[in-house]
Each structure stands twice: as structure tokens, then as C-alpha cells.
Amino acid sequence: MDILNKTAEEVASIARSGEVSVKEIAEQMINAIKQKDSKIKAFIHIDFDAVIKRAEELDTKKDKSGVLFGVPIAIKDNMNMKNTETTAGSKILSGYTSPYDATVVEKLKNAGALIVGKTNMDEFAMGSSTENSAFFNTHNPVNPEYVPGGSSGGSAAAVKANEVIASLGSDTGGSIREPAAFCGVTGLKPTYGRVSRYGLIAFASSLDQIGPFGKTVKDTAIMLNAIAGFDPRDETSVQTEKEDFTALIGKNIKGKKIGVIKEVQDFKLQEEVKNSFNDTVKALQNAGAVVEEVSIPHLKYALPVYYIIAPAEASANLARFDGVRYGLRVEGKDLKETYEKTRTEGFGTEVKRRILIGTFTLSAGYYDAYYLKASKVRRLISNDFEKAFSKVDALVLPTTSTTAFKLGSITNPLQMYMNDIFTIPISLAGLPAISIPTGTDKKGLPIGMQLVGKWFAEKELLQIAYTVEQELGGKNGI
Amino acid sequence: MDLKKYEKLAALNLSEEEEKRISKDLTDIINYFEVLKEVNTDNIEPLVYTKGAKLFMRKDEKQKSLDKELLKKNRELFNSNFYRVKKIIGD
Amino acid sequence: MEYKPTIGLEIHVQLATKTKIFCGCSTEFGAEPNTNVCPVCLGLPGALPVLNEKVVEYGTKLGLALNMRINKTSTFYRKNYFYPDLPKGYQITQYSIPIASEGFLEVKTSKGKKKIRILRGHIEEDSGKSIHTGDITESEYSYIDFNRSGVPLMEIVTYPDIETAEEAYEFLVLLRKTVRYLGVSSGDMEKGALRCDVNISVSKGETLGTKVEIKNLNSFRSVRRALEFEINRQIETLKKGGKIVQETRHLDERTGETKPMRTKEELNDYRYFPEPDLPPLTLTDEYIEKIKETIPELPNEKEERFIKEYGISEDYAHEIAASIEVAEYFEEAAKLTGKPKEVSNYLMVNIMKFINENGKSIKEITFGAKEFKELLDLIDSKTISKNIAKSVLEESLSSGKTPSQIVEEKGLKQITDTGEIEKVIDEVIKENPKPVSQYLEGKKQVMGFLIGQIMKKTRGKANPKIASKILIEKLNALK
Ligand SMILES: [Zn+2]
């Protein structure tokens, strides 16, 4: 049986029934990866022998009840997995062997998942195209001349290319949603605090959140069931009651209020994106939802706020890479020179750029004008959303203003940052959001729409997203 | 912007060529931040922690420490288990 | 006008928790290098800090004991700098709002009592330890042990209220007493559980002079020596028309001089910002109240109460109250015996001597309140004399036997049987005709000699009062 085209839900049930062994599933996946990945280059680290061994172990397990039993899953390379190489796409960590498992890795294992390997990413998750990986570029499976988006480009591409059934990415300012849109898969960024960050290599701690990529909305819900929950090892994970995120899937959304953001109209959208947005709104209305306009007055300040706060946090988060205990070390004549050589050679240009911005905005004399100011405007943005959510149940807006661009076509950093203009405001507020494929442009490149839920209302968000997926499904061949 | 100063604080030492390239980008990016000046933030509390954040405290109970073999996979240890670096002050 | 020193202290108190502030690694001192480490305290990528509740409890307790306000919301910040023993490249500490603010300690000096105000107390993590083999300037490498990385500290910062080396010394002594009373720190300076940096300037009049920092003072004596030297150095420099340079100095333990530290040209811009991994620490009134209830009577209060309640001398009260164990020992014995003065005497003279000579603690000795009562009862009932009592006490301390056991075994019972004493007196009169006739001639001073002879024959066991009464009677009969 060909399992490559199946959903996580289907594969788990096949594996559970014993109809196909996990080993056979693993072998099919490995063949697919061997066949396709030389072109797509979604994976950084993959150990086929280890995958087969893990599959055999799963086959001997008596308890096959895990929600992801036997499902091949890839994880972004910024998540620690014990005794495997974890590099976060950076030369400074090449050869680093992690001595521990991230909480999400533990949880995937507990859910019976078959973790296949580590996917490529922009170095330390800083980027929107995966071109900032220190190792190589990942190609968009839809058209290899185009970027897969980023920073979780490898995880999105691996799902799109049917190299795995689902995957994990991390999203700081759009790093799950933007590649999901570019590759034409579904990507969910949970509410900040929903999924433990323990073991996720930090980029910007107050924004980073792990989330799933899947072929369907329901698969991302199943994935979220496996990885969500309070973790006593992460002080920013939030104590909430256990929920089944698939619970409302399939329930009708009659009477739900959906907001469209007035200020989004101020931004120029690619024509097909605009059309697809209108299709999505119609689909929501067809399903009985009431669409109304809301205002996020501070929306346009989100990008500068983000590019102050995220690099500031990153400048501290990346200070531990000093060559003393692990990773790259380039000896100089003394310690200071060793630090400088290690870090200058170990980090790529974009990472250095952001470390320097962050160092500057936190420095004496500039802190108030930049970091503090940005943190205050962040409050205003969050307040705007709070107000909007007093009127509506969810928001809908494009994930990106354009479809994927060609590899190497954007070299100006500011222009690159503009890709995340619609995802960043949501990250700053810590809200949950999902990007689902809603169409393609003239070149056949996927278009993604973003649905945003209230804080910790993933269940309702997934319910609405599922409805849109069903309404548009036939048309987009999903 | 005195790039050298921030390189030093960040323990970086860029080549001249890299400095030139990054310097222009940084100026553009920092100029872009200026737009925030038009936002009135009087009496607004900064936001660092999003909804639901609540500190919890762990019990004062010992947990297993890392096996030194795992440390050694990533760096050689010296003189019975010390990390080693070149001395702090250069000549 | 004279030069006046202005001194402020920054003291790091290591909190005596079992595990580190943000991870479950042991805080044990002296373990094999890099064995008490984990992803968190080693700064491995992806690891996150989780606050130890005991650190908050101890921090709150110490803050309250130092008469400080406990802030119901306090925040953690990152202090950024590169140093090989700082694994994350930043230290997690408290910055804008510490756990405790605005307090004081009242110290006693030779010039009387003085209140020294405390600005703040904040909790933070310690760094690892860099070890340099051989001379720091010559060795090619530094060796790093991260066992200490993440050990909890509370930093106490005083106002610059201190004006003499003695005041600084007394402040530290009282702080150490306090942390030991509370059980929140061992207070051992030699183990680094108490570390002190000082800021000092001298000036005439209102405008403060240039501030010099003296770092890494690792004993009470060092603090005193460093300050005495530095006050003098600064005054002499200014008198000669010189200028004080703003700098960091250290104490040369051999010469007792302070010297400028060899510093790397360093930019001091720590870029503090809120630690996003740790939401603010909030404490309820109930929590603070509950901690307050666990605070014992503190050294100064105890000292004053001992003077008032038990009428013991100020010096003894000060010394006894210096340690909570000694104070508790004293109070139990004083209450049981009803003789606090005697107890304080025996305690400070005989028992403390024994303890110091044998390197023991008061908790280790078997001579407790019960034995104290036995001993004082033996004196009361005239079973033994005060002289004998001292040797019984010493014997009891070293052998662990009870006072009555010792008196019994060694036959030290005082002789009060007049018949037996008379027999001895008769012998003494017979053997000492010369002093006897001198007495009869009116030289009353020889009485002492004759009593001494009686005591010698009875090996001190004769009741001196009875003995002298009978002796006088017998001598008068000879007239
Ligand atoms: Zn640890």
C-alpha cells in the first residue's frame, strides 16, 4: 500500500491495525527521500539506519495507541534530539551532538511518532526563504527555482514533497505560516505558551513557538494534540486544561463572526492573492459565518517593533555560542580573539546583522528610544487585537502579500523582512494562527490564507480553518 | 552608528568588506525604526510576556546531572574534567 | 576640616539551597569539576531556567530580617557580557525591581550604635569558576569548572552610610550572624558563601570624592585591612595634593596594601533587558506573612533581651547571642537552673574554652541544661565547692560523664561531717606548732595558711566555712 499520499490520521490507523508495518512505512519514506531530496534538499541530518531501527522498535511495541503511531515526522533542526546532530542551520553548531531531548521530541516519541530526521532552515531561524542556511538552499517542491519560504523551509518542503507525512517547525515572526503558504501546505502557529520551548534553540524567546505542518487542518490538530501542554521545564508554557484540538472539526460555523482587518487594505497585494482572499471570505460566508471589518490601528508599526525586539533578544540568546563548551571554535592568540574569530566565522551575515542591531538597540543611551519604545508599541498592538477579538471570533488575512519568489531574487534585507508583514503582528500579540492553501497563482505557485484565533482558542480556530479547507478544497486540488 | 563599538560588545570582528556591507544595511534598518516615534506611548506599559504568562516555582529537589561522556562528545576536557580556554588577556 | 570616608558595601550571600537557582543540579561544594552540570547551567542551546522556590523563600526571609520591604512583584533581567565562566553570555539577575528594597542593620561599634541603611537585595545566579594554574600573567590557559554556575546568590547593597573600617567589619559580622540565625546561608567567607566588594571615597564637606572599588575580599579581616589601608592611602594622596583615580583595586594579602587590578580595556555596557524566559515573580501578602512567622528572634534583639531578662553582662550577652546555637543553649540552661549569671560565667569561661580548644560545636557536647542544673545543685547543697565544680565541669565536658557521676566516682563530696573535720584540724594543730603560737599571739593572718593545710589534707573536700569555724573554736580553746 502506498502510504505517501495519506494523512497522518490515516497512516496512524494503518500502522495501528498492523496492515502495514512501521518498518515498511519507514522504507517507503526513505525511498521517497532518497529519490526526491537531492533536488529539494529539505533535510540537513538524516540517519536512515537509525530510522529503520526506530521503526523496528515501534513494531515490537505492544501499546500502539499513540495518536501518531508509526507516522513519519520530520523536525526542524533547531530542536534538540539526544545523541543526534543539532545545528539550527548554523556553521557555529556544525558537529554539535545534543545530549538531551527537547520536550516536543519526547512528546512525539510518546505519541508513537517515527521521527525521520532534521530539516533545513534559515540559520537560527532568521530568514524568510531558507537561503540563510549555512549549509545549502532548500527548493520549493512546487517549482524548484523558487524558495520554500522560511525559516522552517525544510519542514514545509518535506511535507509538500511527500517525503514525510507531517513535520514540526518553529515560528517567531511567521516562520511556519510563510513557508506553509509558499509550499501549499497547512501550518499552525499555536498561542505563545501552548507548546513547550524546552529544547528549542532560542531565536527570540518572547516570540518563538513550535507548531506543526500537515497536509490537512485535521493533521495539524492531531499534531497539536501530541505536542501541546504545560511543561515544568519551560516557565513560559501556560497551564491550561487538556483539550482535544480535533473536537470541533466538522462542526458548522454558522453565526461565527470573522473579522477582516481594515489596515491590511493599505498594503499592496499580488492580484491572485487578493482574489484568493476574496474567495476565502466568500467561503466563510457560504458556511454561515458573518464577516465584518475590524481595525488594528497600529498594524503598520509591527514590523519595526519586531525588528527591534527579536534581534535584541537574539543578541543575548546567541551569546552562548562562544566556542568554550561546544560547537565551532577558532583559536586566536588569546581568549578575546578566540571569541571573535569563532563568532565571526561561525555566524552568517544575516545573523551577525541581527546580533549587531540587537546589541545597538539595547545599548546605553538607545535602550529607551528603541527597545523600550518597541515594547510599548507591542502593548498597543496587542491591545488592538484584544479589542478586535471582543467583536469577532477569528480574523482572516493573507499569510503573505505575494506567492513564493525565486531563489536569490531578494538581496536587500529590508525587502526580505517585508515578507512577514502579515504574520509578525500576530506573533507580537502571541495569538494562534494557521495558514491554509487557498489557491495558486498563474505560475502555479500556492497561495496561503491566514486565520487568526483568540488566545488559546486553537480548537475554534481549527474548526473555522477546516471549514474553509472543505469549502475551497475541490477547487485547489487539496 | 559606531559599528566597531557594537562589534566589540557582541564579540564579533568583521572584515572591512563585511563591515561596509552591513553598515549600510544597519543604517537603513535603524532609519526604518524612526517611524515608531510618531506613536504616542505615554503611560503605556511595555509588553514582554504575552497572555497567560505566570511564573511557577520548582521544588528544591536534585535532578540528575549530565554524564561527562556527553560533555566530552562536544569538547575535550582537561586536567581531570575542566574546560580549557586561552587566557583572558592577550599579549 | 578633616577628610571623611564614605563607604558602601555590596555583599553576595550564597543561599543554602540543595539545588541551583534555575536547575536541579546540586550546589555541593568541592565536587569533581563539571559533574554538577546540566543543559541549563551549562548554557546548552535550547535549555531554559526554572526558578527554585527555596531561593525565593530564603531571599524573602533575609530581606525581612534586614528590615526590608518585600516587593510583591519583582522581575528578572539579563545582564550581558562575555566571560568564559558565564556560560550563557548573560547572567540572570534582578534589576529594576529586586525582591527586597530599603532596609537597615544597626551595628555596635566602639563609638556606639549606628544604623546602616540597605538599598536593595536581589536574587541572581552565580557564574562558574575560572582557575589559573600558576601565575595569571604567565599561564597560557584558564581552566573552567561550571559546578558553581547557577548557584543562588542574594546580593545585598548598602547605602554609603559607612564611615570606618570598623563599621564595615561590624556590619559584615552582624550580617553573617543574621544569615546563620535564619539558616539561609552558611555565611562561610572562605568557601565563598559570603563575598564582599566595597566602594570607598574620602572627602571634606558635602561633595563626594572619587570612588574606588575594592573587589574580591574573601575574609572579614581582609575587608578591615583593605579599608584601613585604602582610607589612609586616599587621605594621604589628597593631602599631598594628589588625585584619586576612579578604578578597581584588590588587596594584596601579603602586604596588606590595595593595588590597582590589571584590567582589560573593557566596555561596560551590560545591556540589561527583561529576561523573556522568566515571567515576573509575584508574591502574595499571605506568603510574605507566612515567611515572616518563621523568622526567629534576631541577634540584636536576643542580646538586649538577655541583658534585660537575665541580668547578664553586656559583653557576655553579645558573645552568647552571636550564635543561635550558643544562645539557645544558654537560655535553656538559664531557665532550668534559674541561675543565668552562673550559667553565663561557666559558659563563656569554661565551656567556650573547651569548645575552642577541641574544635567542637556547642551542639556536640553532652553537658547540657540538665547537667548544668546538676552541677549548680551540687554547689548549692554544699556537696562540692566552687573550685571543685570547675574541675567537675571540665571532666564532664571531656569524658561525657554527668557531674554527680564524677563526684561519686572520684569521691569529691565535700566533708561536712564535723567529727571528721575535727580529726583533721587536730592533726593540723599538732603538726604546725609555730603558726598556731603565732595565731595565739594575735597574728590572725596565719588562719589562711592553716585552712590551706586542712584543705590539702582533705584534698579540697572540707567545707571551708565549717572548717574555719571549728578551727577558730579549737584555737581559742588553746588560749
Ligand atoms: Zn544544572
Side-chain angles (χ1 to χ4, degrees):
Chain A
M1 188 195 296
D2 180 10
I3 60 114
L4 297 175
N5 292 311
K6 304 232 176 304
T7 64
E9 192 185 12
E10 290 160 352
V11 173
S13 113
I14 292 165
R16 227 177 269 134
S17 73
E19 204 181 334
V20 179
S21 70
V22 181
K23 191 178 173 185
E24 203 184 318
I25 293 171
E27 280 164 349
Q28 283 195 31
M29 281 294 138
I30 288 171
N31 284 338
I33 293 167
K34 279 182 176 164
Q35 208 180 78
K36 299 171 194 165
D37 208 53
S38 56
K39 224 161 124 195
I40 311 257
K41 292 185 163 297
F43 285 90
I44 303 189
H45 317 291
I46 188 158
D47 178 346
F48 294 128
D49 295 340
V51 175
I52 293 291
K53 219 182 118 216
R54 277 200 290 274
E56 285 170 345
E57 278 165 22
L58 283 167
D59 277 327
T60 62
K61 258 185 143 178
K62 279 214 182 70
D63 178 13
K64 299 182 191 308
S65 65
V67 291
L68 294 170
F69 185 78
V71 179
I73 285 166
I75 59 177
K76 191 176 179 179
D77 196 35
N78 55 357
M79 294 170 215
N80 281 279
M81 190 163 145
K82 193 170 171 172
N83 286 327
T84 65
E85 195 176 352
T86 301
T87 64
S90 182
K91 189 177 158 192
I92 209 158
L93 275 175
S94 54
Y96 173 65
T97 307
S98 179
Y100 74 103
D101 274 339
T103 297
V104 288
V105 169
E106 262 177 21
K107 284 187 172 254
L108 285 180
K109 285 180 180 170
N110 290 341
L114 176 68
I115 301 176
V116 174
K118 307 297 260 324
T119 57
N120 198 18
M121 57 184 284
D122 284 302
E123 183 178 6
F124 289 109
M126 297 179 186
S128 310
S129 66
T130 314
E131 290 166 296
N132 290 335
S133 165
F135 305 107
F136 44 75
N137 292 332
T138 296
H139 300 263
N140 193 319
V142 177
N143 182 338
E145 284 178 33
Y146 287 78
V147 300
S151 65
S152 314
S155 284
V159 172
K160 184 64 184 181
N162 279 343
E163 295 180 341
V164 287
I165 303 297
S167 63
L168 287 185
S170 69
D171 190 315
T172 306
S175 283
I176 290 174
R177 291 159 285 164
E178 189 244 20
F182 280 10
C183 289
V185 296
T186 300
L188 171 68
K189 182 201 93 80
T191 311
Y192 182 85
R194 179 64 96 178
V195 179
S196 169
R197 294 186 295 117
Y198 185 77
L200 169 72
I201 299 180
F203 157 22
S205 314
S206 78
L207 294 152
D208 295 343
Q209 189 63 197
I210 293 171
F213 288 98
K215 295 174 182 177
T216 63
V217 170
K218 192 164 186 194
D219 272 6
T220 61
I222 292 167
M223 287 284 280
L224 188 61
N225 274 344
I227 61 170
F230 169 72
D231 180 7
R233 290 175 296 190
D234 175 7
E235 293 268 20
T236 62
S237 74
V238 175
Q239 310 203 27
T240 50
E241 285 192 22
K242 200 171 159 53
E243 290 175 61
D244 174 8
F245 295 104
T246 64
L248 298 178
I249 282 179
K251 299 242 164 27
N252 81 64
I253 61 164
K254 254 186 207 114
K256 291 254 183 222
K257 287 186 175 168
I258 311 291
V260 297
I261 301 168
K262 187 174 136 236
E263 289 76 12
V264 168
Q265 291 158 30
D266 299 341
F267 294 89
K268 202 174 152 267
L269 299 180
Q270 186 180 318
E271 195 57 33
E272 295 111 315
V273 173
K274 203 170 183 176
N275 295 339
S276 189
F277 173 73
N278 292 333
D279 291 348
T280 308
V281 169
K282 264 182 224 134
L284 284 161
Q285 284 166 330
N286 285 345
V290 183
V291 178
E292 59 183 79
E293 194 176 80
V294 295
S295 175
I296 305 291
H298 296 91
L299 190 82
K300 71 165 177 173
Y301 302 110
L303 208 62
V305 165
Y306 177 86
Y307 278 98
I308 290 171
I309 289 171
E313 293 181 13
S315 72
N317 282 331
L318 271 53
R320 67 188 63 200
F321 302 104
D322 58 7
V324 175
R325 287 143 293 135
Y326 49 80
L328 182 76
R329 171 142 148 193
V330 187
E331 287 288 0
K333 68 176 187 324
D334 57 22
L335 182 69
K336 184 173 162 281
E337 205 180 281
T338 304
Y339 279 163
E340 290 178 354
K341 282 191 161 173
T342 301
R343 291 169 58 81
T344 306
E345 288 183 31
F347 292 134
T349 304
E350 181 59 24
V351 172
K352 283 184 271 198
R353 193 154 38 217
R354 295 202 197 182
I355 288 175
L356 288 166
I357 296 172
T359 306
F360 166 72
T361 56
L362 289 174
S363 66
Y366 296 103
Y367 179 88
D368 286 3
Y370 295 105
Y371 179 82
L372 189 63
K373 180 81 182 181
S375 301
K376 288 178 176 176
V377 181
R378 184 178 181 184
R379 166 85 57 196
L380 293 172
I381 293 167
S382 180
N383 289 350
D384 285 353
F385 279 109
E386 189 148 21
K387 213 169 139 201
F389 277 117
S390 69
K391 294 184 202 130
V392 298
D393 300 301
L395 302 171
V396 59
L397 72 163
T399 309
T400 52
S401 56
T402 67
T403 53
F405 47 90
K406 275 192 173 166
L407 278 150
S409 64
I410 299 183
T411 50
N412 178 291
L414 264 177
Q415 197 192 337
M416 186 68 96
Y417 298 168
M418 297 297 169
N419 270 299
D420 299 326
I421 199 124
F422 296 146
T423 49
I424 277 175
I426 287 114
S427 298
L428 289 172
L431 291 160
I434 189 167
S435 175
I436 53 174
T438 53
T440 48
D441 68 4
K442 288 193 283 284
K443 293 175 219 142
L445 294 167
I447 296 165
M449 283 302 137
Q450 193 180 192
L451 289 154
V452 185
K454 291 180 181 174
W455 286 276
F456 298 101
E458 283 89 344
K459 218 158 56 181
E460 293 72 17
L461 174 65
L462 288 158
Q463 176 193 5
I464 297 164
Y466 178 81
T467 307
V468 175
E469 181 186 53
Q470 297 308 305
E471 289 282 333
L472 299 176
K475 190 171 157 192
N476 297 298
I478 300 157
Chain B
M1 178 178 169
D2 178 6
L3 193 55
K4 275 265 177 279
K5 178 179 155 191
Y6 299 101
E7 282 178 51
K8 229 173 226 171
L9 281 171
L12 292 169
N13 187 8
L14 306 185
S15 67
E16 240 171 84
E17 187 204 348
E18 211 172 1
E19 254 175 16
K20 222 186 270 170
R21 193 150 39 103
I22 280 188
S23 188
K24 196 196 164 301
D25 295 340
L26 291 189
T27 310
D28 291 349
I29 293 165
I30 289 159
N31 285 339
Y32 178 60
F33 296 157
E34 293 302 302
V35 66
L36 293 183
K37 283 197 177 139
E38 65 190 52
V39 187
N40 180 357
T41 51
D42 295 350
N43 304 315
I44 301 294
E45 279 296 304
L47 185 150
V48 180
Y49 312 96
T50 53
K51 284 264 164 2
K54 194 173 171 289
L55 191 80
F56 86 101
M57 293 184 241
R58 46 169 270 269
K59 295 249 176 290
D60 186 23
E61 284 164 4
K62 279 184 203 169
Q63 264 162 11
K64 233 183 126 235
S65 287
L66 275 177
D67 182 32
K68 66 180 152 195
E69 293 315 309
L70 288 172
L71 307 183
K72 285 180 180 170
K73 274 189 184 168
N74 287 305
R75 195 61 89 228
E76 191 183 349
L77 301 176
F78 295 86
N79 285 1
S80 67
N81 241 19
F82 283 99
Y83 284 95
R84 193 177 83 173
V85 292
K86 283 239 169 106
K87 67 174 174 174
I88 292 147
I89 306 151
D91 302 310
Chain C
M1 203 188 280
E2 274 193 36
Y3 282 104
K4 207 184 84 191
T6 301
I7 301 163
L9 304 179
E10 282 169 23
I11 303 143
H12 286 94
V13 179
Q14 184 188 321
L15 300 176
T17 55
K18 284 204 285 284
T19 65
K20 296 182 178 182
I21 181 167
F22 297 125
C23 63
C25 291
S26 170
T27 54
E28 179 201 357
F29 183 81
E32 191 192 334
N34 295 308
T35 50
N36 293 336
V37 294
C38 73
V40 177
C41 58
L42 211 51
L44 297 190
L48 295 169
V50 182
L51 185 60
N52 181 345
E53 63 177 12
K54 210 73 182 169
V55 173
V56 176
E57 183 189 319
Y58 284 179
T60 305
K61 213 166 170 175
L62 182 53
L64 289 169
L66 301 180
N67 305 298
M68 299 173 90
R69 177 185 80 232
I70 301 303
N71 294 311
K72 291 211 287 188
T73 299
S74 60
T75 46
F76 292 95
Y77 271 64
R78 291 183 182 178
K79 177 183 182 181
N80 299 286
Y81 63 98
F82 284 93
Y83 209 76
D85 60 20
L86 187 72
K88 299 188 295 299
Y90 57 83
Q91 179 196 29
I92 304 177
T93 180
Q94 294 193 299
Y95 183 63
S96 60
I97 313 166
I99 189 165
S101 307
E102 300 297 335
F104 67 88
L105 271 185
E106 193 177 70
V107 297
K108 264 191 206 152
T109 69
S110 50
K111 289 193 196 116
K113 287 179 180 174
K114 173 156 180 177
K115 208 176 241 188
I116 290 160
R117 290 172 306 150
I118 297 163
L119 175 65
R120 55 191 269 131
H122 61 255
I123 50 180
E124 62 183 21
E125 58 180 342
D126 205 346
S127 61
K129 210 169 165 184
S130 301
I131 290 143
H132 314 276
T133 49
D135 185 52
I136 185 164
T137 54
E138 280 159 25
S139 65
E140 195 186 350
Y141 294 106
S142 297
Y143 294 85
I144 304 158
D145 173 13
F146 290 101
N147 283 347
R148 209 183 60 186
S149 161
V151 164
L153 302 175
M154 177 133 167
E155 184 176 341
I156 306 291
V157 182
T158 74
Y159 276 94
D161 288 352
I162 298 168
E163 290 166 303
T164 64
E166 189 198 5
E167 284 172 15
Y169 178 85
E170 290 299 336
F171 182 90
L172 278 172
V173 169
L174 183 54
L175 179 66
R176 180 170 67 176
K177 275 190 225 172
T178 306
V179 300
R180 287 181 174 172
Y181 259 61
L182 299 171
V184 300
S185 173
S186 75
D188 291 333
M189 265 190 124
E190 60 282 5
K191 285 185 182 167
L194 215 62
R195 276 170 266 159
C196 184
D197 298 341
V198 304
N199 285 304
I200 166 171
S201 65
V202 302
S203 69
K204 282 184 181 177
E206 291 302 303
T207 339
L208 289 181
T210 307
K211 204 162 77 176
V212 167
E213 190 178 16
I214 311 172
K215 270 193 178 281
N216 305 333
L217 296 168
N218 49 24
S219 73
F220 288 86
R221 199 171 142 245
S222 303
V223 174
R224 202 171 183 148
R225 279 171 91 198
L227 279 172
E228 276 164 0
F229 178 87
E230 186 62 19
I231 291 169
N232 197 38
R233 182 189 75 86
Q234 292 192 12
I235 293 176
E236 289 308 311
T237 307
L238 291 173
K239 274 187 181 161
K240 283 184 209 136
K243 268 182 95 175
I244 304 298
V245 189
Q246 182 165 357
E247 63 185 352
T248 302
R249 299 173 74 87
H250 76 278
L251 177 73
D252 185 328
E253 295 283 353
R254 283 170 312 168
T255 61
E257 292 171 12
T258 67
K259 291 178 175 163
M261 282 228 273
R262 198 180 152 186
T263 49
K264 38 206 163 115
E265 31 118 22
E266 110 188 25
L267 295 125
N268 262 338
D269 187 343
Y270 292 124
R271 290 158 287 136
Y272 286 96
F273 76 99
E275 165 57 290
D277 289 331
L278 291 167
L281 170 63
T282 53
L283 303 175
T284 60
D285 285 326
E286 296 79 64
Y287 176 86
I288 298 168
E289 238 4 86
K290 238 175 79 193
I291 302 286
K292 210 177 249 168
E293 281 163 22
T294 67
I295 293 180
E297 185 182 32
L298 294 168
N300 281 350
E301 297 160 15
K302 213 179 261 295
E303 193 177 320
E304 270 159 42
R305 184 169 63 79
F306 282 0
I307 296 167
K308 263 211 329 243
E309 201 172 316
Y310 297 114
I312 63 174
S313 76
E314 276 185 36
D315 284 354
Y316 277 178
H318 187 70
E319 282 180 63
I320 290 171
S323 145
I324 194 159
E325 286 87 14
V326 175
E328 278 169 356
Y329 177 94
F330 162 77
E331 191 150 27
E332 202 192 335
K335 276 193 176 142
L336 192 70
T337 60
K339 292 191 163 60
K341 278 193 179 165
E342 280 88 339
V343 170
S344 72
N345 268 319
Y346 283 117
L347 175 59
M348 293 323 290
V349 179
N350 309 80
I351 298 178
M352 289 319 277
K353 186 171 158 245
F354 174 81
I355 281 174
N356 292 336
E357 281 172 0
N358 294 280
K360 296 211 162 170
S361 85
I362 193 102
K363 293 219 147 164
E364 288 170 297
I365 60 168
T366 54
F367 190 88
K370 213 175 111 242
E371 288 72 24
F372 238 126
K373 179 146 178 25
E374 239 182 77
L375 186 73
L376 295 184
D377 282 352
L378 285 167
I379 299 171
D380 264 8
S381 65
K382 307 202 164 49
T383 313
I384 55 171
S385 67
K386 283 191 177 163
N387 251 333
I388 295 278
K390 256 180 217 160
S391 50
V392 170
L393 171 58
E394 274 154 23
E395 168 82 21
S396 175
L397 283 167
S398 50
S399 71
K401 290 175 181 163
T402 68
S404 7
Q405 239 180 326
I406 294 163
V407 168
E408 189 70 32
E409 278 176 23
K410 299 217 159 172
L412 295 175
K413 235 183 208 158
Q414 204 163 228
I415 306 165
T416 47
D417 176 347
T418 45
E420 203 177 321
I421 295 177
E422 271 181 58
K423 232 167 74 195
V424 176
I425 292 176
D426 288 342
E427 277 173 41
V428 170
I429 292 175
K430 212 178 186 177
E431 285 162 14
N432 297 287
K434 207 175 161 201
V436 168
S437 55
Q438 280 173 326
Y439 178 84
L440 293 175
E441 283 157 20
K443 279 197 172 170
K444 305 270 185 215
Q445 306 94 294
V446 296
M447 267 299 280
F449 172 77
L450 292 170
I451 294 282
Q453 293 304 303
I454 296 165
M455 288 315 217
K456 208 168 157 192
K457 276 190 180 289
T458 59
R459 281 184 292 142
K461 290 185 294 179
N463 181 310
K465 268 191 191 150
I466 297 173
S468 77
K469 192 176 156 246
I470 297 173
L471 179 64
I472 290 167
E473 279 169 16
K474 292 227 175 215
L475 288 170
N476 285 344
L478 289 175
K479 271 187 185 165

